[in-house]
Amino acid sequence: MFGYRVPAPDEAMLISGGRRGLGGAPFRVVTGHGKFVVPFFRKTRFLSLAMCESEVTETCVTKQGIALHVRAVIAFKVGNDHESIINAGQRFLSDQDQMSVLTGRIFAGHLRAIIGSMTVEEIVTERQKLAAEVLDTSKMEMAKIGLIVDSLQIQSIDDGDTGYIEAMSAPHKAAIRRQAQIAQAQATQAAVEAEQEAARRQAEYARQTAVVKAEYSAEVDRAQAQAAQAGPLAQAHAQREVLDAQTELAQRQALLRQKQLVAEVVKPAEAEAERVRILAAAEAQRMKIQAEAAASYDRVALDRMLIDQLPQIVKEAAGGLAGANVNVLNGADGLGEIAAGLVSQGLTILDSVRQNLGGQESDGNRPEGRGDNGLLQLDARRGKKPDDGPVDVD
């Protein structure tokens, strides 16, 4: 619209002509909104409110008389209030670049004054303190010209060729260098130890791997060998069990056959032989008794009666042996002893009968030919050989 003016966000519009501004200022200040300006009767100018920068490079002498080259950067701007805008507009509206020049000169003077009251050590080690003091001393002066300082940075401090700062930093550099060397040595030692530990672990791992491989290979070989031997061993074990069973069976069969032979052949044969021997011995004894009876006249009748009964007695004894279980302790001699014993017993019975009959005749109490069976005594002296052995008869 014709005559309507609007300032930028970082500008202040100054309208001169007509009424005066606030506090008797020669212009009115408009910020943040537009204003209708009557052409030809009003004049409009714009003052920048943006951030500005000023660089200061100054040679300052310290409290110790040592010259230092100091370089600093100041960030400033026109204040946002109407008073600051009016003060800055009256001074810099026609040449706004002069704000940076004037600000640099102001700060250079304050910087020289403050550095002159400090030592090099304080300046080097306490730069923030130096900047804070410069800002405090220049704040009021900058406010008079409508400017405010946002920051002050001391970028560099150099003593030229004097070497004071270098000498001052030498112990620290030496300590830092020594610490760096120590740290480097420690790092090198740690690296070497780490390498050695890594090598040891690798060697240990390789050893364990080799051991495990060897054990696994040995176990595989052993399993293969056992598997290869399992078949022949099982077959041999089975064959041995079969042979053992066959041997045991053969032994049992042989023992059974032996018992069968003894029961079926030997026992009956021995019993039959013994019966024959006993009969033969009895017959021989009968004939002997007949001969002795013939020689004895007074006992003919008695002897004949006993002789007639003796074969029957011996036969009964022999018949009893036929089914008896006879254990012969001394072979053929034992069988002869059994036969002789039977005959001897028959003779002993005969002799006892004779004696009893003779006693009865002398007493005249018992009839001839009768004997007491309950008082028969066996006389081993008749019919028994001196070298006869013991006979066991069941």
Side-chain angles (χ1 to χ4, degrees):
M1 182 180 293
F2 182 76
Y4 191 80
R5 308 295 297 274
V6 180
D10 59 348
E11 289 181 339
M13 185 172 62
L14 306 181
I15 303 173
S16 59
R19 293 182 304 170
R20 290 183 173 271
L22 183 63
F27 46 81
R28 286 182 296 172
V29 178
V30 179
T31 58
H33 59 87
K35 193 73 174 177
F36 183 78
V37 180
V38 179
F40 305 110
F41 295 100
R42 304 287 188 271
K43 188 174 183 180
T44 303
R45 302 286 300 273
F46 295 92
L47 178 65
S48 175
L49 302 179
M51 179 68 66
C52 300
E53 181 181 292
S54 177
E55 184 175 342
V56 177
T57 302
E58 192 69 22
T59 300
C60 306
V61 179
T62 65
K63 183 179 179 179
Q64 300 161 317
I66 299 173
L68 298 178
H69 302 285
V70 181
R71 181 173 177 270
V73 176
I74 304 102
F76 66 95
K77 64 181 290 295
V78 177
N80 294 327
D81 58 288
H82 286 194
E83 184 178 358
S84 297
I85 294 173
I86 292 171
N87 292 334
Q90 288 178 345
R91 292 170 177 80
F92 306 110
L93 186 58
S94 58
D95 189 2
Q96 297 185 26
D97 294 334
Q98 288 296 319
M99 287 189 293
S100 298
V101 176
L102 182 59
T103 300
R105 291 175 181 175
I106 293 172
F107 272 88
H110 290 291
L111 194 61
R112 284 194 301 270
I114 293 173
I115 287 177
S117 62
M118 299 175 65
T119 62
V120 178
E121 288 79 5
E122 292 175 346
I123 296 171
V124 172
T125 58
E126 299 179 4
R127 290 190 181 186
Q128 195 63 31
K129 179 181 177 181
L130 172 62
E133 290 184 359
V134 172
L135 286 175
D136 289 340
T137 56
S138 61
K139 183 181 298 183
M140 188 177 294
E141 189 173 353
M142 293 290 289
K144 290 181 180 179
I145 58 177
L147 302 177
I148 58 175
V149 179
D150 288 339
S151 66
L152 171 64
Q153 296 293 330
I154 307 296
Q155 292 187 339
S156 64
I157 299 174
D158 186 12
D159 60 353
D161 297 332
T162 59
Y164 187 90
I165 297 177
E166 183 70 20
M168 183 178 66
S169 63
H172 301 286
K173 289 182 179 180
I176 292 173
R177 190 179 299 110
R178 182 171 61 254
Q179 293 176 358
Q181 292 175 354
I182 293 173
Q184 182 64 33
Q186 292 177 350
T188 303
Q189 182 180 0
V192 172
E193 291 177 354
E195 291 178 357
Q196 293 177 352
E197 181 67 18
R200 187 186 66 79
R201 290 182 179 179
Q202 290 179 355
E204 181 67 18
Y205 178 76
R207 185 186 68 81
Q208 293 179 355
T209 303
V211 170
V212 171
K213 287 182 178 179
E215 291 178 352
Y216 177 75
S217 178
E219 185 176 357
V220 171
D221 294 341
R222 183 165 57 254
Q224 290 178 352
Q226 291 177 353
Q229 295 175 359
L233 286 176
Q235 185 177 2
H237 184 69
Q239 291 178 355
R240 185 179 65 184
E241 290 182 351
V242 171
L243 292 176
D244 292 342
Q246 291 177 350
T247 302
E248 184 179 359
L249 179 60
Q251 291 177 353
R252 291 184 177 181
Q253 290 177 349
L255 183 59
L256 179 61
R257 183 58 182 166
Q258 182 180 3
K259 291 181 178 179
Q260 289 176 352
L261 290 175
V262 171
E264 295 175 357
V265 179
V266 176
K267 293 287 185 178
E270 290 179 351
E272 182 64 23
E274 185 64 23
R275 188 181 68 81
V276 172
R277 288 191 189 95
I278 291 173
L279 291 176
E283 184 65 23
Q285 188 67 22
R286 186 181 67 81
M287 293 176 66
K288 182 179 178 182
I289 292 173
Q290 287 177 355
E292 291 179 355
S296 178
Y297 175 79
D298 54 348
R299 302 299 300 274
V300 173
L302 179 60
D303 290 340
R304 183 173 299 275
M305 181 185 65
L306 294 176
I307 290 170
D308 292 336
Q309 296 295 326
L310 181 61
Q312 185 65 27
I313 295 172
V314 175
K315 183 178 180 181
E316 292 296 332
L321 291 175
N325 186 9
V326 180
N327 292 329
V328 180
L329 300 179
N330 53 355
D333 294 337
L335 293 174
E337 290 174 0
I338 292 173
L342 292 173
V343 175
S344 177
Q345 289 179 7
L347 294 176
T348 301
I349 294 171
L350 179 60
D351 186 58
S352 298
V353 171
R354 285 177 178 178
Q355 291 179 1
N356 291 330
L357 291 176
Q360 291 176 359
E361 290 176 355
S362 62
D363 294 338
N365 296 325
R366 293 181 182 178
E368 185 177 338
R370 294 182 63 185
D372 189 357
N373 294 332
L375 300 177
L376 292 180
Q377 296 180 352
L378 298 179
D379 186 5
R381 291 179 298 174
R382 176 174 291 183
K384 184 177 180 182
K385 297 180 181 180
D387 57 347
D388 288 343
V391 178
D392 186 7
V393 180
D394 289 340

